[in-house]
Amino acid sequence: FSLKELHGIFPWLVESIFGSLDGIIAGWNLRCLQGRTNPSEYSVALDFLDPSGPMMKLVYKLQAEEYRYDFPVSYLPGPVKASIQEQVLPECSLYHNKVQFPSSGGLGLNLALNPFEYYMFYFAISLITQKNSPATHHVSPSNSAYFILVDTYLKCFLPTEGSVLPPLSSNPGGAIPSPTPRSPAVPFSSYGMHHTSLLKRHIAHQPSVNADPASQEIWRSETLLQIFVEMWLHHYSLEMYQKMQSPHVKLEVLHYRLSISSKHHGSPAQSSYQALHAYQESFKPTEEHVLVVRLLVKHLHAFSNSLKPEPLSPSAHSHTASPLEEFKRVVIPRFVQEKLYIFLQHCFGHWPLDASFRAVLEMWLSYLQPWRYAPEKPPQSAEPLPRSVPEKWAAFIQENLLMYTKLFVGFLNRALRTDLVSPKNALMVFRVAKVFAQPNLAEMILKGEQLFLEPELVIPHRQHRLFMSPTLGGSFLSSRSPAVTDASFKVKSHVYSLEGQDFQYKQMFGTEVRNLVLKLAQLICQAQQTAKSISDHSAETMATQSFFSWFRFTPSDMNGSYTGNDLDEIGQDSIKKTDEYLEKALEYLCQIFKLNEAQLTQMMMKCGTAPDENGKKQLPDCVQSEDGLILTPLGRYQIINGLRRFEVQYQGDTELQPIRSYENAALVRLLFRLSSVLNERFAEQIEVLCSREDFVGRLCRYHLTNPHLVQKIRYSPVVKDRMSQNWGPRISLRFLASYRTLISLLMIYFLASWFHIGPVGCTFIILIGYFLYAVIMTFFFEGWKPHEH
C-alpha cells in the first residue's frame, strides 16, 4: 500500500481494533480477550499491537509524513469538553494548537491529532466507551489483553531502566520528527498560567536537536502519559470540586436533586444547579477502570524512583540532565497528583458500600507507598519485622498530605457505614490500618500537619495566592521548581491549591478524627462479638443435629422461630478470618492513634457490647412504651449493620401460621378444617372443662390452652394489643401433619409388626402410653405443650 492509501484506511483500522467512540462497534474487544480462553487470538492481538509490532510501525510511518486525523471533542472527558466548547483553552498542553472549527457542513469541534496521538486516544478511551458484555463479568481484568497492553506500553515509553527505544522506521537513516507547533485554528482564552511541554522547553536549550536523540523521543512518553491521565482521570474539574466543598453549594445541589425527583415541581431548576448535579452523576468508573489506573500509579512510582541521584561534585551540577531524567523528576506532581486526588475523592464519596471498593482502596494505598516501588531492596532479616518508612520520603508525604489525611477521614466515614462482620469489609479495614501503622509513617504525617498549621509570619497574602495556583507547573520534588525552601510553605501550597483558599483543614490526629477512630474501634469490637455469636450458633446447630435433620427437623423450625442469618453461609473459616482481620486492625489503630486498653474497655461498656448474663447476644437498643418495644436510633443502626438482631418468632395464631417445609400441606389444611369443626361444635364444653380446678381441668388445660398465654417472650417489637390477644382453649390437630410425627408413627407400627401386634392393638397401646405420660406431666409441668414441640 502507498502512504496515501494507508492514510485513508488508518482511521478505519483503529476503529476496527478498539471499537467506535459511541460503543456500538466492539472491535476486537481486548478487555475480554484472554490467553486462557482464546490463546491464538490473544497472542495475535498482542503481537500486532506491540510497541515494535506492525501497528506501531504503521503509526510511525504515517507520523513521518505529518498526517492529521480528526477526533471529536464531544467524546473527550466532561471538563475538557466543556472548556473547549466555551472557547477556554484547557490547561493540559496536549490540546494546545489542535482544536479546529468544523468544516463546511460539519457538526461540532474536532481535535487535529497526529497518528501516534490518534492511536493512543482510541486505545485509552476504549476502556471507558466500550460497554460491558455479559462475558465481561466472568473475565479477570488483570489477565485481559488490554491490561497487558497497557503494561507493555508503560514499560516501553516510560522505562525504568535505560532510555526510550527509538521508533522503528522503514527508512533506516531517517528519524521520526516530533510534532511541530501549529497555529491555533480557534481564538481561545486561557485560564491560569500553562506550563509548557518538557520537550519544547528542553529543545529550546539544545544547540542542535540531533545532538541529543532522546530529545526527539521524549514527546512520545509525555504524550502517552498525558493521554492516559486525561482519558482515565480527568472526569472531574478542580474548580467544580472546590465549589462542591462549599456547604451552600451542597445545599443547592440537594435542593436540585429533590426538585427533579418531585413530580409536582413547578419551575425548572437553574442551570448552575444542573451543572453541579452533572458533576456528581455524569461519570461512574468501573472496577476494571480503577484496576488499570492502579497499574498506571504503580508504574509511575517505579518510573519516578528510577531517577538517578544527583552527583555531589560541583562540576556535575553544570551538566544539563536529559529530558527523560527531568521527566521522571516531575511526572507525579505535575501530571498526576491533582487529577488523581479529585478522582479518588469522587470514588470515596460515590462508590457503593460493598466489597468492590477494594479496587479503589488498593489503588489509593499504592499511591501512598512509593517506597514499595523503589529499586533498593530491603535488608534481609531472620524475622519478618515491619519495614520502617525511610526519612527521604518525608517530602513526598508532606507534599501529598491530603492524600493521606483527608482521604483517610473519607475512608473512616465509609467504614463506619459498612458491615464489618463481612470478611471482605473487615479485610479492607485491616489493609488501611496496616499501611498507616508502618513505623515512622504516622510521625511523618503528623510533621506535615504541624508544618501546615504553622502561622504565616512573612509571606504576604497576594504572594501566597499566586504561588498556590495549580497552573504554575512547578514540581514539588524538583530542584528546578521556583526557589522556595520553606517546607511549611510547600505544604500550604499543596493543600490550598487542591482545596481552595477557604478550606478548613481537619487534623488527622485531632480530636474530631480521633473520635471517629474510637467509633470505628467500637464497631470492630461489636463486629467481633457478632462474629463470635454466629460462630457459637453454628457450632450449636451442628452439635444438636439428629437423625431427623435430613428432613429439616430442627429445634428452631419446630418452635416457629428463625435464628439464621445470611452470615451463617460464610462458614467457620471466614468467621475466623474476620476475627483475625478485626483483631489486627484494632491493634494497628491503637498503634497509630496511641489508644490504650482503658479507653477501649470504657468505650465497650458505654456502648453495651458485652453479652448478656446467659452468654447470648443482647437485643437491639429499644425502649418500652405503651404500644410495646420501640427501636431507638442506635437500635436501628445496630440492626442495619448486623451488630444485633431480634430472635424472629411467629407470635400470631399458631393455627394460621404459614405451612412449614416439614409439614404436609394437604394434611395441614384438612386437620385445620377438622379442628375448626370440633372447636365450633364443642366450644362450650371445652371452656367448662378447662375452667375446672380439679385434675380433669388441669389435664384439659395441659392439652387445650394457648402456649402464648403461658409465656410471653421479648423477641421483637410488637404492639400491645397484639400481645394481649387470647384465642381461648381449643383443639389443635396440626401436629399430626408433621413429617416427623408421621414417620415416628410408621416406625412404631413397623416395630410392633415384628412382635405380631396389629395396627388396632398398636394404636390402643400408643393411646394408653400417651395418656399415662400426659397424666404424669400434668402433675409437674402444667404449662408445657407436647404437641407444640
Side-chain angles (χ1 to χ4, degrees), residues 19 26 83 222 274 281 413 506 535 546-547 581 605 607 771:
S83 176
E222 186 176 353
Q274 295 176 3
E281 306 295 341
N413 290 325
K506 185 183 297 183
S535 178
S546 63
F547 171 79
Y581 290 147
M605 293 178 61
C607 203
F771 179 76

Side-chain angles (χ1 to χ4, degrees), residues 275-551:
L276 293 171
H277 181 264
Y279 162 77
Q280 283 193 313
E281 306 295 341
S282 60
F283 181 77
K284 297 180 177 64
T286 62
E287 188 173 352
E288 180 187 8
H289 180 179
V290 173
L291 290 174
V292 173
V293 173
R294 187 191 179 208
L295 175 65
L296 173 65
V297 168
K298 292 166 65 176
H299 184 82
L300 289 179
H301 274 318
F303 177 69
S304 180
N305 290 338
S306 65
L307 177 66
K308 297 177 182 178
E310 293 186 358
L312 299 178
S313 60
S315 60
H317 286 283
S318 61
H319 175 70
T320 304
S322 68
L324 187 62
E325 294 296 305
E326 187 174 354
F327 187 50
K328 291 178 180 180
R329 190 184 308 279
V330 301
V331 62
I332 290 180
R334 176 176 296 176
F335 294 96
V336 179
Q337 184 190 57
E338 173 192 305
K339 294 181 177 65
L340 180 63
Y341 176 72
I342 307 301
F343 182 83
L344 284 171
Q345 280 282 20
H346 187 89
C347 290
F348 273 60
H350 294 80
W351 201 277
L353 290 171
D354 57 22
S356 65
F357 186 72
R358 174 79 186 279
V360 179
L361 188 79
E362 294 298 336
M363 187 247 294
W364 172 51
L365 296 180
S366 295
Y367 184 83
L368 298 187
Q369 304 176 86
W371 47 87
R372 289 185 56 193
Y373 313 100
E376 64 269 12
K377 299 294 183 182
Q380 298 294 331
S381 59
E383 298 181 3
L385 297 175
R387 184 185 177 189
S388 178
V389 180
E391 282 294 334
K392 71 174 187 176
W393 296 107
F396 178 88
I397 293 171
Q398 293 166 9
E399 293 153 6
N400 289 272
L401 186 63
L402 291 175
M403 288 282 195
Y404 290 88
T405 58
K406 189 171 183 184
L407 290 179
F408 179 81
V409 176
F411 174 76
L412 284 180
N413 290 325
R414 288 184 61 92
L416 290 172
R417 293 177 289 162
T418 56
D419 177 16
L420 298 183
V421 182
S422 169
K424 294 180 180 179
N425 292 335
L427 175 59
M428 287 192 284
V429 176
F430 163 74
R431 288 282 297 122
V432 173
K434 182 180 180 182
V435 168
F436 279 84
Q438 294 178 82
N440 207 30
L441 178 57
E443 290 76 7
M444 290 183 179
I445 297 174
L446 180 60
K447 176 63 176 177
E449 290 192 322
Q450 292 172 348
L451 290 172
F452 174 75
L453 297 174
E454 283 185 3
E456 301 174 29
L457 301 177
V458 182
I459 304 169
H461 184 65
R462 288 181 178 270
Q463 182 183 358
H464 189 74
R465 289 181 63 90
L466 178 61
F467 180 79
M468 289 183 298
S469 173
T471 55
L472 277 175
S475 166
F476 296 137
L477 300 181
S478 173
S479 60
R480 293 160 181 79
S481 60
V484 178
T485 57
D486 185 6
S488 173
F489 192 49
K490 290 183 180 180
V491 178
K492 293 176 190 292
S493 170
H494 155 70
V495 172
Y496 288 125
S497 66
L498 292 179
E499 292 289 343
Q501 301 293 325
D502 301 326
F503 176 59
Q504 299 295 323
Y505 183 74
K506 185 183 297 183
Q507 298 182 53
M508 178 174 168
F509 296 95
T511 305
E512 187 175 351
V513 177
R514 188 180 181 86
N515 289 336
L516 289 178
V517 173
L518 288 173
K519 287 183 180 179
L520 179 60
Q522 165 191 320
L523 289 183
I524 289 175
C525 296
Q526 291 177 336
Q528 286 179 305
Q529 184 65 40
T530 303
K532 184 177 182 301
S533 300
I534 294 174
S535 178
D536 293 344
H537 170 75
S538 300
E540 290 175 3
T541 303
M542 294 295 294
T544 55
Q545 283 184 345
S546 63
F547 171 79
F548 296 104
S549 61
W550 186 74
F551 299 99

Side-chain angles (χ1 to χ4, degrees), residues 93-236:
S93 61
L94 181 67
Y95 305 106
H96 294 183
N97 305 323
K98 292 184 174 67
V99 183
Q100 291 185 328
F101 273 128
S103 58
S104 58
L107 298 175
L109 296 169
N110 293 311
L111 295 179
L113 304 177
N114 64 49
F116 183 81
E117 292 169 338
Y118 187 80
Y119 174 83
M120 287 301 172
F121 260 82
Y122 262 85
F123 174 75
I125 207 169
S126 64
L127 177 65
I128 301 168
T129 57
Q130 295 302 309
K131 306 297 186 294
N132 285 332
S133 62
T136 306
H137 301 291
H138 307 287
V139 172
S140 173
S142 59
N143 295 327
S144 67
Y146 187 89
F147 195 89
I148 300 300
L149 281 173
V150 171
D151 186 48
T152 304
Y153 289 155
L154 289 174
K155 290 177 179 177
C156 176
F157 297 109
L158 300 173
T160 56
E161 296 180 0
S163 58
V164 183
L165 295 177
L168 301 175
S169 174
S170 58
N171 181 11
I176 304 301
S178 59
T180 57
R182 307 177 77 244
S183 58
V186 181
F188 277 90
S189 60
S190 173
Y191 60 85
M193 299 170 58
H194 303 289
H195 60 271
T196 58
S197 169
L198 285 171
L199 167 68
K200 296 175 184 177
R201 184 155 52 85
H202 188 85
I203 290 180
H205 294 89
Q206 292 289 333
S208 172
V209 175
N210 294 329
D212 187 0
S215 63
Q216 281 192 318
E217 306 310 329
I218 188 66
W219 70 266
R220 289 182 298 157
S221 302
E222 186 176 353
T223 299
L224 175 86
L225 178 61
Q226 286 181 326
I227 291 174
F228 283 0
V229 171
E230 288 294 308
M231 295 299 106
W232 297 341
L233 296 179
H234 195 191
H235 294 273
Y236 323 101

Side-chain angles (χ1 to χ4, degrees), residues 535-785:
S535 178
D536 293 344
H537 170 75
S538 300
E540 290 175 3
T541 303
M542 294 295 294
T544 55
Q545 283 184 345
S546 63
F547 171 79
F548 296 104
S549 61
W550 186 74
F551 299 99
R552 301 181 67 181
F553 302 146
T554 61
S556 59
D557 288 335
M558 301 309 299
N559 288 327
S561 64
Y562 172 73
T563 57
N565 188 288
D566 292 339
L567 296 169
D568 293 337
E569 300 177 1
I570 63 180
Q572 293 291 328
D573 293 339
S574 296
I575 293 175
K576 185 178 179 181
K577 287 182 180 179
T578 298
D579 190 63
E580 292 176 357
Y581 290 147
L582 295 178
E583 184 177 355
K584 294 298 293 184
L586 191 58
E587 178 183 337
Y588 288 138
L589 289 175
C590 292
Q591 293 177 12
I592 299 168
F593 293 92
K594 305 296 188 292
L595 304 179
N596 54 48
E597 187 99 19
Q599 285 179 306
L600 294 178
T601 305
Q602 181 181 3
M603 175 186 55
M604 292 175 63
M605 293 178 61
K606 179 180 178 181
C607 203
T609 59
D612 286 336
E613 295 179 358
N614 60 358
K616 300 298 182 181
K617 188 176 61 175
Q618 287 185 340
L619 296 174
D621 190 67
C622 51
V623 294
Q624 185 73 41
S625 68
E626 295 181 356
D627 296 328
L629 298 178
I630 298 179
L631 283 171
T632 64
L634 175 60
R636 295 189 188 96
Y637 176 83
Q638 291 167 340
I639 290 179
I640 291 174
N641 289 275
L643 303 176
R644 296 184 184 179
R645 67 183 181 187
F646 288 103
E647 298 297 335
V648 180
Q649 184 180 33
Y650 183 80
Q651 295 182 346
D653 187 351
T654 54
E655 291 296 296
L656 299 178
Q657 61 181 315
I659 298 174
R660 305 303 177 89
S661 59
Y662 53 83
E663 293 178 321
N664 184 283
L667 279 178
V668 169
R669 296 186 179 95
L670 178 63
L671 293 173
F672 174 74
R673 296 191 184 96
L674 178 60
S675 300
S676 299
V677 171
L678 294 175
N679 288 326
E680 289 177 2
R681 179 169 299 182
F682 302 106
E684 294 182 0
Q685 293 85 336
I686 293 175
E687 189 72 35
V688 172
L689 287 174
C690 290
S691 62
R692 294 174 56 171
E693 296 297 332
D694 54 5
F695 177 78
V696 176
R698 293 175 60 188
L699 185 63
C700 292
R701 285 193 297 272
Y702 171 70
H703 286 85
L704 304 176
T705 52
N706 192 328
H708 287 277
L709 299 179
V710 178
Q711 183 181 11
K712 296 180 182 179
I713 304 175
R714 185 172 175 251
Y715 281 105
S716 60
V718 291
V719 297
K720 183 178 180 181
D721 295 340
R722 187 174 179 183
M723 287 290 293
S724 61
Q725 288 182 2
N726 185 352
W727 289 280
R730 56 187 173 171
I731 297 172
S732 177
L733 301 176
R734 181 166 177 168
F735 72 99
L736 293 174
S738 170
Y739 288 121
R740 182 172 68 171
T741 303
L742 295 175
I743 293 176
S744 300
L745 291 175
L746 287 176
M747 292 181 65
I748 292 174
Y749 282 113
F750 179 73
L751 292 175
S753 65
W754 283 11
F755 298 96
H756 305 287
I757 301 176
V760 178
C762 184
T763 303
F764 180 76
I765 293 174
I766 292 174
L767 293 176
I768 294 296
Y770 177 78
F771 179 76
L772 295 176
Y773 174 78
V775 169
I776 296 173
M777 296 301 295
T778 302
F779 280 109
F780 300 100
F781 305 103
E782 181 180 350
W784 195 75
K785 296 273 300 171

